[in-house]
Amino acid sequence: MSRASRSTSIRSHMKLVDRRLIFKSGKFRSLCSCRNEDDQFVGTVYGIVRGRESWKVALNSDYVSRNLRPHHVQKVLLRSRNDSRLALRFFNFLGLHKSFNHSAKSFCILIQLLVHSNLYWPASSLVQTLLIRKLDPNELFGSFLSSQTELGLTSGAGLDCLVQGYVQCREVLNGVLVARLMWDHGFLPQVRTLSALLNGLNRMRRFDLVLELFDEFVKWGVHPDAYMCAALVRGLCELKEFDLAKERVRTMEVSGCVLNVVTYNVLVHGLCKSLRFQEAIEVKNVLGRNGLRADNVMYCTLILGCCTANEYGISLELMNEMVELDLKPSEAALSCLVDGLRKSGKIEEATKLINKSLKFGVSPNLYVYNAVISSLCEHEKFHEAELLFDSMSSRDLVPNDVTYSILIASLCKQGKTDAAHCLLLKLIESGARLTPYPYNSLISGHCKVGNMSAAEHIFSDLTAKGITPTVVTYTSLISGYCSEGNMNTAFRLYHEMTGKGIRPNTYTFTVLIYGLCLTNALDEARKLFDEMVALQVMPNEVTYNVIIDGHCKQGDIVKAFEFYDEMVKKGLVPDDYTYRPLISGLCFTGSVNEARTFVDDLHRKHHKLNEMCFTALLHGYCKEGRVKDALIVCSEMAERGLYMDLVCYSVLIHGTLNDGDPKRLFSILKHMHDKGLRPDIVIYTSMIDAYCTAGDMDKAFKLLDIMADEGCTPNVITYTALINGLCKVGDIPKAERLCEQMLASHILPNQITYSSFLNQLTKEGDLDKAAELHSAMLKRFLANTVTYNILIRGFCNLDRVEEAAELIVKMMENGVFPDCISYSTIIYHYCTRGNIHEAIRLWDSMLISGVTPDAVAYKFMIHGCCIAGELTRASELREDMLRKGAKPDGGTYYSLIHHTCAKTLTSAS
């Protein structure tokens, strides 16, 4: 629209004197009379406004209230041009106390008056109120223009206020229209008005219009200031026109525009936002030629930009440069850099920066602080994490529930459950939000060390405080009980959890399956595995590894490989924890060649096996006495870059000892020494035990001396192996002296140590001394079922069966439970003596106590019944034996057939 057409449009909206009025004499006199009355009324109102009379009384009079119209108010405002504050009070009074509906013209007059008096705030407020009416911008401009004329003002400051009002109301395009109308009518908008327009357009994302208007404003003769220039640069950066933005900045510099650092900050921000951080740094570096210096905003923008591009090294350099210039970084920049360093694995640099930041009085936010503490704990830098936690108070940072939870989990991971519990009490005292997470960590920590009573106490405390346990809470407890083999409690917790609507996860099922495998309940483990899949809880690699390992340990290699094949078909990736039990299981069942084939097949498929897998194969070869094949495996390990550790050498040494090849043993030991390895307590004890088992006590004691020379202190297992060896060769005095030496070294004998003496004493028939030793074991709580069985066997061998039977009663009185061997040893001797009634009585007692007879016990009883002529009872025992899954051997069947035939022949004769 041209300037002339815009003027015509404005004139058409100006309500001036109607030139079509027909001035008839009567009407003209009437009109003059009305005007006089109007002027008198305005004068009256103006007098009230200027007078000292109460406005509430005077302006609420019938005369004023009945006659006051908007055009009267306009005239009063025009007369008050020299007292704009009074005009504003009058205007507001009518609005507040009389709910007077002011005309747009009244608003325009008052706004112009206020602006002329430099009262910009109330003027701006009035503009906001006026714009709520959503009047046409052309009409509004006309009203402003006419009121300006009536007031005799030449400045367009009131119109500037209108444009700025449109920008504040987010009607920027109307503001652009009014600005152009101003220019058409000879008014040049203020630079700050034009700057507001450009920034408003940027907020509207009308970046194309920003560029167009900036050039238009320059053609009007406007000298852009730094903020107008910044708005232009921002628009160009948003349009990704970075080269043009830099070119326009250079043009502004040459043309004499006074730019400040704000313009360059906008350019830097735009470049960083598009990851062009090198160009942004270059802008910062050339500021000096314009007599400017980068401020903290620019540095923080650059730091944040470089962090976004994962250039944490450059960000750190900028941070150091900034601090050297005594510029204070923002919390956002510091937090972003610290978190970036942490995420990139530079945890030490992140910690140093936090410590350094204390000097310039800024700290990362709590989220980042917690994240750094967590990373330090993950990297097992527990001391640094605790120091960082302790420094929070000096930074006015209050730890929250997340902070405490991280540290409690860390302490539990270190096994410091007492310290973790103290920290939990601090968390409660602090008033921070209580969540299940710290409790879960404590429960898990206690469960891992087998302290289930403490774990249950924490669980009770959690529920008492009204905190809802999670699947992790229950799974930790279930895992603890499964590790102990206490499956009844584990499943009780499982059903309690599901009863509360808490859905079990993969880990829950995995630990239950592990517990079932640990207790040899493989059928139940498989059923639970199927139940898991039916509930759409998908087994992962760990689940399969657990069930594969369980079957391998039980020798069910076929089923283990079925699970392995199923795992691969499901797309799960087997690892060394999958392969090791399979290799070990094949070796355990005597299929070492198949294990070798399996290993070769894995290598052909480019699977890299670790030392554990090869150690399993080594063990298999050594178990079969194939030490040469084991040595070939060792060579293969070296070729594949695998490290032969002490476990590997221990297996080899054990196999060589069993093979009885001293030269090879010396060669292996020399090879260990050449690699800088020294036999540890396990290897030395294994070698000593092998010599003791072979009865070569001289070599065993020589090895003990070598062990001492190497600085390797023997332990209770070492001494027990030697004592057991001495007892077997009948050298009890020397065994007793060694036991005294052991006690002098503050090493206490264990059950096996005492059992060695006990076994030899019973063999020699010295039952009085054996009973005395056993009493001493009872006092030290070292007596168990095995030690009682040794005594029972000793008494039975001396035909003191009644005393042996009394030991069964004493066992239970001392809290030790007899097993099948305890009962069957005595039953055998009763049967041998022909005392079948006592044998049957003891058999029934065994069944009542809940002990399940094995095949050997059945054999003894069946044979005794046959000898005593109790063939019916013998047959019943055989049937019971078969029902319970015990398989009779040839001797059992021979007794039954032989005595049945003998009875038949006797009856026939």
Side-chain angles (χ1 to χ4, degrees):
M1 187 184 292
S2 67
R3 181 180 291 190
S5 61
R6 284 178 187 156
S7 300
T8 304
S9 174
I10 295 302
R11 282 194 299 273
S12 68
H13 291 288
M14 292 173 62
K15 305 296 183 182
L16 302 177
V17 179
D18 191 348
R19 298 185 181 279
R20 293 172 297 171
L21 199 70
I22 300 172
F23 294 102
K24 295 183 178 180
S25 59
K27 287 185 178 181
F28 181 73
R29 282 194 302 272
S30 176
L31 180 63
C32 288
S33 174
C34 286
R35 281 183 177 175
N36 288 334
E37 289 176 8
D38 223 28
D39 288 343
Q40 287 176 4
F41 180 75
V42 169
T44 301
V45 173
Y46 181 69
I48 292 170
V49 171
R50 297 290 297 177
R52 295 187 177 182
E53 189 179 356
S54 170
W55 287 6
K56 281 189 179 181
V57 175
L59 293 176
N60 282 326
S61 66
D62 289 342
Y63 173 67
V64 175
S65 296
R66 189 172 59 252
N67 293 299
L68 188 65
R69 298 290 182 271
H71 69 276
H72 298 139
V73 174
Q74 292 170 21
K75 289 180 180 179
V76 172
L77 291 173
L78 287 170
R79 289 190 182 189
S80 304
R81 62 172 55 88
N82 294 324
D83 193 345
S84 56
R85 294 182 187 274
L86 182 67
L88 178 62
R89 281 179 54 214
F90 171 63
F91 185 89
N92 287 337
F93 179 86
L94 293 178
L96 290 172
H97 296 282
K98 297 182 67 61
S99 301
F100 192 85
N101 186 21
H102 291 292
S103 67
K105 184 68 172 288
S106 294
F107 272 95
C108 295
I109 292 168
L110 183 55
I111 290 165
Q112 298 271 18
L113 283 174
L114 291 169
V115 171
H116 183 68
S117 302
N118 296 324
L119 298 172
Y120 293 104
W121 185 87
S124 176
S125 179
L126 284 172
V127 169
Q128 301 293 314
T129 306
L130 178 60
L131 294 181
I132 292 172
R133 299 188 178 190
K134 300 296 181 184
L135 301 173
D136 180 83
N138 285 291
E139 290 183 9
L140 205 50
F141 179 82
S143 294
F144 264 90
L145 199 62
S146 63
S147 62
Q148 184 175 321
T149 303
E150 291 174 42
L151 287 166
L153 301 175
T154 56
S155 167
L159 291 167
D160 275 290
C161 191
L162 176 61
V163 175
Q164 290 165 21
Y166 272 124
V167 173
Q168 289 171 14
C169 291
R170 298 183 182 275
E171 297 179 31
V172 186
L173 294 178
N174 285 340
V176 172
L177 172 62
V178 172
R180 282 174 166 163
L181 287 171
M182 285 177 69
W183 168 246
D184 290 342
H185 287 79
F187 297 104
L188 184 64
Q190 297 172 4
V191 173
R192 66 188 184 98
T193 304
L194 301 178
S195 178
L197 275 175
L198 296 178
N199 282 306
L201 290 168
N202 274 329
R203 285 192 292 273
M204 289 176 61
R205 305 193 66 77
R206 289 297 307 272
F207 309 119
D208 53 335
L209 193 53
V210 170
L211 182 59
E212 177 188 329
L213 277 177
F214 184 88
D215 291 337
E216 185 177 331
F217 295 160
V218 172
K219 288 178 182 176
W220 291 356
V222 174
H223 294 288
D225 66 355
Y227 299 99
M228 277 186 69
C229 295
L232 172 66
V233 172
R234 179 175 284 111
L236 290 170
C237 287
E238 291 289 347
L239 291 168
K240 309 297 182 188
E241 296 285 354
F242 298 109
D243 292 335
L244 182 57
K246 289 191 281 186
E247 182 184 329
R248 293 301 289 265
V249 169
R250 283 193 291 270
T251 303
M252 293 171 198
E253 290 171 346
V254 172
S255 63
C257 287
V258 180
L259 301 180
N260 61 19
V261 73
V262 174
T263 310
Y264 296 97
N265 279 342
V266 171
L267 179 57
V268 166
H269 180 269
L271 290 166
C272 287
K273 192 176 177 182
S274 293
L275 303 183
R276 299 171 67 155
F277 61 91
Q278 290 291 0
E279 294 174 61
I281 292 171
E282 189 179 328
V283 171
K284 186 264 300 181
N285 292 337
V286 299
L287 274 183
R289 72 186 183 190
N290 297 317
L292 298 172
R293 192 185 79 165
D295 60 3
N296 58 345
V297 174
M298 182 173 290
Y299 272 106
C300 290
T301 303
L302 286 167
I303 289 165
L304 289 166
C306 291
C307 285
T308 305
N310 298 326
E311 293 289 344
Y312 303 113
I314 297 174
S315 293
L316 190 56
E317 289 176 11
L318 287 164
M319 179 67 76
N320 291 332
E321 182 182 322
M322 180 181 186
V323 172
E324 286 175 8
L325 293 170
D326 291 329
L327 296 173
K328 185 177 179 179
S330 66
E331 181 190 288
L334 180 63
S335 298
C336 187
L337 178 53
V338 169
D339 201 39
L341 291 168
R342 177 191 68 84
K343 286 177 180 176
S344 62
K346 297 177 180 179
I347 188 68
E348 288 185 17
E349 287 88 337
T351 309
K352 285 178 183 175
L353 185 56
I354 290 176
N355 294 330
K356 188 178 180 180
S357 67
L358 189 60
K359 295 177 183 177
F360 40 85
V362 182
S363 288
N365 58 41
L366 187 57
Y367 168 80
V368 172
Y369 220 88
N370 287 343
V372 173
I373 290 174
S374 178
S375 292
L376 285 168
C377 292
E378 286 171 12
H379 287 81
E380 298 186 354
K381 296 180 180 292
F382 304 116
H383 180 64
E384 290 88 337
E386 288 170 18
L387 287 175
L388 210 56
F389 173 75
D390 293 338
S391 71
M392 291 180 76
S393 58
S394 62
R395 298 171 181 271
D396 296 326
L397 284 172
V398 180
N400 62 3
D401 59 294
V402 177
T403 322
Y404 282 106
S405 296
I406 291 166
L407 284 167
I408 288 169
S410 163
L411 289 167
C412 290
K413 187 178 178 181
Q414 299 171 69
K416 298 177 180 179
T417 49
D418 290 341
H421 194 266
C422 290
L423 204 58
L424 176 64
L425 295 176
K426 283 186 179 180
L427 164 61
I428 296 167
E429 289 170 6
S430 72
R433 184 171 62 110
L434 288 178
T435 67
Y437 304 112
Y439 288 93
N440 289 349
S441 298
L442 270 167
I443 290 169
S444 178
H446 284 302
C447 289
K448 282 177 182 176
V449 296
N451 193 350
M452 297 309 298
S453 59
E456 287 282 5
H457 177 75
I458 298 293
F459 179 74
S460 300
D461 189 37
L462 176 145
T463 52
K465 284 186 168 57
I467 302 167
T468 305
T470 66
V471 65
V472 176
T473 320
Y474 277 104
T475 301
S476 295
L477 284 168
I478 290 168
S479 177
Y481 284 115
C482 285
S483 297
E484 289 187 344
N486 188 348
M487 297 310 297
N488 290 332
T489 307
F491 273 102
R492 178 184 62 75
L493 285 164
Y494 169 72
H495 293 304
E496 181 183 316
M497 177 181 75
T498 54
K500 289 181 177 178
I502 301 171
R503 181 178 168 82
N505 59 20
T506 302
Y507 184 58
T508 315
F509 281 107
T510 300
V511 295
L512 282 168
I513 290 167
Y514 166 76
L516 291 169
C517 290
L518 191 68
T519 53
N520 300 325
L522 289 179
D523 290 338
E524 287 82 354
R526 286 193 293 270
K527 286 177 186 175
L528 189 63
F529 185 90
D530 294 337
E531 182 185 331
M532 175 185 184
V533 176
L535 289 170
Q536 296 184 335
V537 180
M538 291 300 105
N540 60 13
E541 287 88 348
V542 179
T543 317
Y544 276 101
N545 289 348
V546 165
I547 203 161
I548 287 169
D549 186 53
H551 282 85
C552 288
K553 283 178 178 175
Q554 287 298 303
D556 193 349
I557 304 302
V558 174
K559 193 66 181 175
F561 270 97
E562 285 178 9
F563 277 109
Y564 169 71
D565 293 335
E566 181 184 315
M567 176 185 184
V568 174
K569 283 178 185 176
K570 286 186 176 179
L572 297 172
V573 181
D575 57 12
D576 293 312
Y577 291 96
T578 318
Y579 302 132
R580 183 197 56 76
L582 289 168
I583 296 165
S584 185
L586 286 168
C587 294
F588 177 74
T589 54
S591 303
V592 183
N593 291 334
E594 287 82 348
R596 174 78 257 187
T597 303
F598 180 57
V599 169
D600 292 340
D601 186 48
L602 289 172
H603 285 149
R604 278 193 296 274
K605 292 177 181 177
H606 306 292
H607 293 293
K608 291 183 178 180
L609 304 181
N610 66 3
E611 291 86 353
M612 288 192 306
C613 298
F614 278 99
T615 303
L617 191 58
L618 278 175
H619 195 271
Y621 277 128
C622 290
K623 186 182 175 184
E624 291 192 355
R626 296 165 61 178
V627 181
K628 288 183 180 178
D629 291 325
L631 290 170
I632 292 169
V633 172
C634 291
S635 300
E636 185 181 338
M637 287 179 71
E639 289 172 7
R640 294 183 180 278
L642 294 174
Y643 177 72
M644 282 275 292
D645 58 11
L646 282 173
V647 177
C648 296
Y649 281 111
S650 180
V651 171
L652 271 179
I653 289 167
H654 189 267
T656 306
L657 286 166
N658 290 338
D659 199 36
D661 189 342
K663 288 184 178 179
R664 184 174 287 147
L665 177 61
F666 179 77
S667 175
I668 292 169
L669 289 170
K670 185 178 182 303
H671 197 266
M672 278 183 67
H673 278 272
D674 291 343
K675 281 196 167 184
L677 293 173
R678 296 289 181 270
D680 62 359
I681 186 69
V682 176
I683 294 175
Y684 275 120
T685 302
S686 177
M687 292 166 70
I688 287 169
D689 185 55
Y691 286 128
C692 290
T693 304
D696 195 343
M697 299 307 297
D698 290 336
K699 286 185 179 178
F701 275 98
K702 283 180 182 177
L703 202 56
L704 182 67
D705 293 336
I706 294 170
M707 181 179 174
D709 291 340
E710 289 282 343
C712 190
T713 305
N715 60 16
V716 64
I717 301 170
T718 318
Y719 279 110
T720 300
L722 287 162
I723 289 169
N724 190 44
L726 289 167
C727 288
K728 282 181 179 179
V729 298
D731 196 347
I732 297 293
K734 191 171 182 178
E736 288 176 345
R737 287 196 300 274
L738 191 62
C739 190
E740 290 173 2
Q741 181 183 331
M742 179 181 177
L743 289 167
S745 301
H746 304 290
I747 299 171
L748 297 176
N750 60 16
Q751 290 170 329
I752 301 170
T753 319
Y754 283 113
S755 296
S756 300
F757 285 108
L758 198 63
N759 193 48
Q760 187 61 30
L761 289 168
T762 54
K763 280 182 180 179
E764 292 178 354
D766 193 351
L767 287 178
D768 292 337
K769 197 170 183 179
E772 186 182 335
L773 177 62
H774 196 264
S775 297
M777 291 176 72
L778 270 172
K779 288 177 182 177
R780 294 190 56 200
F781 303 101
L782 293 173
N784 60 13
T785 306
V786 174
T787 60
Y788 271 105
N789 286 346
I790 292 171
L791 272 180
I792 288 169
R793 187 193 65 205
F795 279 111
C796 287
N797 287 341
L798 292 177
D799 204 26
R800 294 162 67 176
V801 186
E802 287 74 15
E803 292 177 71
E806 288 175 8
L807 282 173
I808 295 283
V809 179
K810 288 181 179 179
M811 281 176 78
M812 290 188 281
E813 286 175 355
N814 289 312
V816 181
F817 296 97
D819 61 6
C820 186
I821 296 171
S822 314
Y823 286 103
S824 59
T825 303
I826 302 170
I827 288 168
Y828 171 75
H829 282 83
Y830 274 134
C831 291
T832 305
R833 292 169 61 179
N835 193 349
I836 191 64
H837 296 295
E838 284 298 320
I840 291 170
R841 186 189 62 77
L842 197 59
W843 179 271
D844 293 338
S845 176
M846 176 175 69
L847 296 177
I848 290 168
S849 67
V851 176
T852 304
D854 60 10
V856 176
Y858 276 109
K859 179 180 177 178
F860 292 161
M861 274 301 296
I862 290 169
H863 184 69
C865 288
C866 287
I867 291 173
E870 298 279 348
L871 295 180
T872 303
R873 182 72 183 232
S875 296
E876 289 174 356
L877 285 167
R878 185 187 71 86
E879 293 299 324
D880 187 52
M881 180 181 186
L882 292 169
R883 277 196 303 272
K884 290 183 177 176
K887 295 180 180 179
D889 63 3
T892 310
Y893 280 114
Y894 174 78
S895 293
L896 282 165
I897 295 167
H898 175 73
H899 288 90
T900 301
C901 291
K903 187 175 182 180
T904 303
L905 288 171
T906 303
S907 299
S909 62

